[in-house]
Amino acid sequence: MTAAPLPAPDVADRGFWASDRVVEALVPTEATADAERGTPWPQTLASQYARFFRDGDRTVYEANVAARHARLTRATLAALLDPRTDRVDEVVDGVLLLCEQSTWCWAAHDDTQTRFGRVTPTVTEPYLDLGAGEVAAQLAWIDHLLGPVLDERAPGVRWRIRQETQARVLRPFTERRDWWWLGVDHPIMNWSPWIQGNVLAANLALEEDPDRRRAVTALVAEGIAAYWASLPADGGVDEGYSYWWQGAARALEAQDLLRFAGTEPEPAALDRIRATIAFPHSMHLGGGWYVNVADSVARPLATWPWNVVHAWALRVGDGDAARHASAHRRLPGGLFDERASLPRAVRLLSDAAWAEAPTAAPPLVGWAHFPSTGIAVARSAPGSARGLAVSVKGGHNGENHNHVDVGSVVVALDGVPVVADAGKPTYRAGTFGPDRYDLWMVRGDWHNVPRVRGVEQAPGERFGARGFEVSDGGADSRRWRALLDLGGAYPVDGLEHWWRETTLDPGAETVTVEDTWTFSDAAPVASADGSTAWHWLLAGDVTLTTGRAQVRFTPDDGPATARVLSLTWDPDAVDAELDVRELDDAELSAVWGTHLTRLRLTARTEAPSGTFRVTMRPTGSVPQEVA
């Protein structure tokens, strides 16, 4: 093990913490920390915790947890800049508040009610979840960064950190090896690297027994290797772009800590890393917008550690991934954003290669395909956000954070999604319970897929696409085409095939979605209330005329003169109506504004076979920002 427990300069390295680069980056953080010092800390109350079990609300409690973490991060960074006594006292206060918090587990994850019938934490049975791991990691980094000044100003606080972390995280990790997120009777998913990376930080900084420290490090190395092995060889992530940051990126951070502790990834893991590094930039539509599937977000509001992507992209030789990462240096907060967690903030500040990297333009690749998850993306103008970009979702309806969306199509105009996927709602008690598929943004009827003879797609792994072919048209054509059979996603009697062909024609600047279906002769004819309908979820303002819908979406970060996307179809084949969905969910409205609109095209007749086509093309001049 190296002399320092964690890979960042501590408070004694005044050459680093007093350097012009670091001081300048932390000016806003330092000002906020000084302003809030002496004011009441955010409180995590029992009544807020109990709300999850009483009425399903988890937002109030978790918001106060996050606010407490953020204030302690700011206080720590301010003390690193200048470890004067009032700033160190602020850190000590925050540390002791965490140590005295009844639980580090978030209520939504705690088993206190199912095991004991309680709505308050069972302090003798700590549950190791994402929240507990985050507290342990924050305390571990504080101990490493400010250890000498904590000992001088508040002897005993570092002892308390060790006691609480042992009881709540390190011992539960080793004494219970049946945690479901380890892959015990459950597929490995993003919780596994997220928690284990935080456990590793706590172990390296706070475990004083060298034998136990080596043992926990070995367990984490085994767990991270299992996570890499669980990823598909093509690097796809069925939870989408947002969860890449809380899964694959967490594993990369854990792998960095393992490397610091002397454990290198196996060649097989490097292959998975090399593949998954390409996922974020492959999902990029333009600006802050990304292809979103499942519970992903089309315009993420979180702060991501792009320095991690940059470092690994250079390590595995992916120039596009490195360019995409360094493009974020020119955005507000690109060099530092105080919303980052303490571990991520310190690693970013101390990444010399990131600090010196030239700012680049994002690659905006022409097309990408991840067969393992059935996600394909293409754009009409590679290297530019100008024009059209389209994504098609295959896969099945039993994926992680699943939405009922096999065959769903998203279309972006000049880098901004207009034919949209609503994405992640605010999580509540029922979000992952038996009523999940009652949520409108999860159901098939609010994705860009048809309702077939009155029947929505069904949830479950057995309901999925039958094959998925993607082609760029060959050397003589730039037309991009994706073809899949949606028939397997519908529990509809007699449905043999429902082919969906999506075509992007850059020359004509059009996207065409054509559905072709066949039923067996014995299939029953739909009743009046069991008609087939095509749904298109549209962002922005929608105008409906005969055979045409025109959509203009001008988000707050979009171009000032956004173009209009026109959707056209055969008006004799369907009846067209608009269903406006007012957004009362804060997370959805932060992305889409006040509303989304569903264009509903209902078939006038039912036939055992047929074809229906919708064509999309922009009108108006190209915005200067993306030209």
Side-chain angles (χ1 to χ4, degrees), residues 480-554:
W480 177 90
R481 170 180 171 270
L483 178 68
L484 67 164
D485 182 0
L486 313 186
Y490 293 89
V492 176
D493 291 340
L495 177 59
E496 294 180 336
H497 297 287
W498 193 286
W499 294 102
R500 167 158 284 191
E501 182 179 50
T502 303
T503 304
L504 170 64
D505 187 334
E509 202 170 24
T510 60
V511 169
T512 303
V513 180
E514 182 174 278
D515 286 0
T516 303
W517 61 91
T518 58
F519 285 83
S520 66
D521 293 338
V525 178
S527 61
D529 60 351
S531 301
T532 294
W534 288 264
H535 297 138
W536 300 100
L537 190 64
L538 308 175
D541 298 321
V542 184
T543 302
L544 180 63
T545 56
T546 302
R548 180 186 301 270
Q550 293 184 295
V551 192
R552 182 188 295 274
F553 183 34
T554 53

Side-chain angles (χ1 to χ4, degrees), residues 82-95:
D82 182 359
R84 66 188 197 224
T85 56
D86 59 339
R87 290 186 175 184
V88 176
D89 282 348
E90 172 84 346
V91 174
V92 171
D93 286 344
V95 166

Side-chain angles (χ1 to χ4, degrees), residues 372-407:
S372 63
T373 54
I375 298 176
V377 189
R379 71 177 70 249
S380 60
S384 171
R386 177 183 57 80
L388 295 171
V390 59
S391 74
V392 180
K393 169 70 171 61
H396 58 79
N397 283 329
E399 294 160 340
N400 290 311
H401 291 93
N402 182 69
H403 287 206
V404 182
D405 60 357
V406 173

Side-chain angles (χ1 to χ4, degrees), residues 151-481:
D151 281 341
E152 180 180 352
R153 181 65 180 168
V157 70
R158 297 179 75 193
W159 173 87
R160 182 69 183 278
I161 287 173
R162 283 161 174 73
Q163 293 299 306
E164 298 296 339
T165 304
Q166 280 286 349
R168 301 177 191 232
V169 171
L170 292 177
R171 284 205 297 270
F173 179 70
T174 56
E175 292 173 2
R176 274 190 62 179
R177 299 303 294 165
D178 63 345
W179 298 108
W180 64 268
W181 40 263
L182 290 173
V184 179
D185 299 325
H186 190 284
I188 295 176
M189 40 82 82
N190 70 300
W191 277 43
S192 187
W194 190 347
I195 293 173
Q196 291 190 84
N198 284 331
V199 167
L200 180 59
N203 174 60
L204 295 177
L206 304 176
E207 178 55 69
E208 296 176 339
D209 184 328
D211 290 335
R212 281 186 54 83
R213 187 166 56 243
R214 282 190 292 270
V216 170
T217 300
L219 285 175
V220 172
E222 180 182 309
I224 298 301
Y227 175 78
W228 291 128
S230 76
L231 291 186
D234 62 19
V237 177
D238 62 1
E239 298 165 294
Y241 169 81
S242 299
Y243 278 92
W244 186 92
W245 289 100
Q246 306 293 26
R250 295 285 182 177
L252 293 174
E253 292 171 303
Q255 199 71 62
D256 282 336
L257 287 182
L258 286 168
R259 192 181 192 210
F260 180 75
T263 301
E264 294 287 349
E266 296 293 328
L270 275 176
D271 289 341
R272 291 297 199 275
I273 291 170
R274 186 175 292 106
T276 199
I277 282 292
F279 188 78
H281 70 259
S282 298
M283 297 294 105
H284 189 205
L285 296 172
W289 296 91
Y290 288 80
V291 174
N292 63 310
V293 297
D295 275 350
S296 252
V297 181
R299 184 176 61 172
L301 304 178
T303 301
W304 303 128
W306 285 103
N307 59 302
V308 175
V309 177
H310 182 259
W312 277 97
L314 293 179
R315 198 172 300 166
V316 301
D318 189 328
D320 281 346
R323 286 175 55 204
H324 185 68
S326 60
H328 290 78
R329 287 173 46 82
R330 65 182 177 177
L331 301 177
L335 295 179
F336 178 74
D337 191 319
E338 68 172 17
R339 293 174 298 173
S341 67
L342 179 62
R344 284 181 161 177
V346 172
R347 294 297 302 279
L348 183 148
L349 285 169
S350 59
D351 188 331
W354 176 251
E356 297 169 3
T359 301
L364 294 166
V365 295
W367 68 290
H369 180 207
F370 294 88
S372 63
T373 54
I375 298 176
V377 189
R379 71 177 70 249
S380 60
S384 171
R386 177 183 57 80
L388 295 171
V390 59
S391 74
V392 180
K393 169 70 171 61
H396 58 79
N397 283 329
E399 294 160 340
N400 290 311
H401 291 93
N402 182 69
H403 287 206
V404 182
D405 60 357
V406 173
S408 190
V409 175
V410 168
V411 178
L413 174 60
D414 299 329
V416 179
V418 178
V419 178
D421 184 315
K424 176 187 178 296
T426 300
Y427 287 163
R428 296 178 55 85
T431 306
F432 297 104
D435 300 328
R436 176 175 176 82
Y437 293 100
D438 293 337
L439 299 172
W440 69 266
M441 73 292 295
V442 174
R443 290 176 51 186
D445 269 359
W446 287 90
H447 284 82
N448 301 318
V449 296
R451 171 182 275 254
V452 176
R453 293 193 172 182
V455 178
E456 290 183 73
Q457 290 185 17
E461 187 171 350
R462 68 189 183 94
F463 296 102
R466 299 168 180 158
F468 193 1
E469 300 175 9
V470 177
S471 170
D472 65 352
D476 298 327
S477 172
R478 287 183 58 214
R479 291 177 73 249
W480 177 90
R481 170 180 171 270

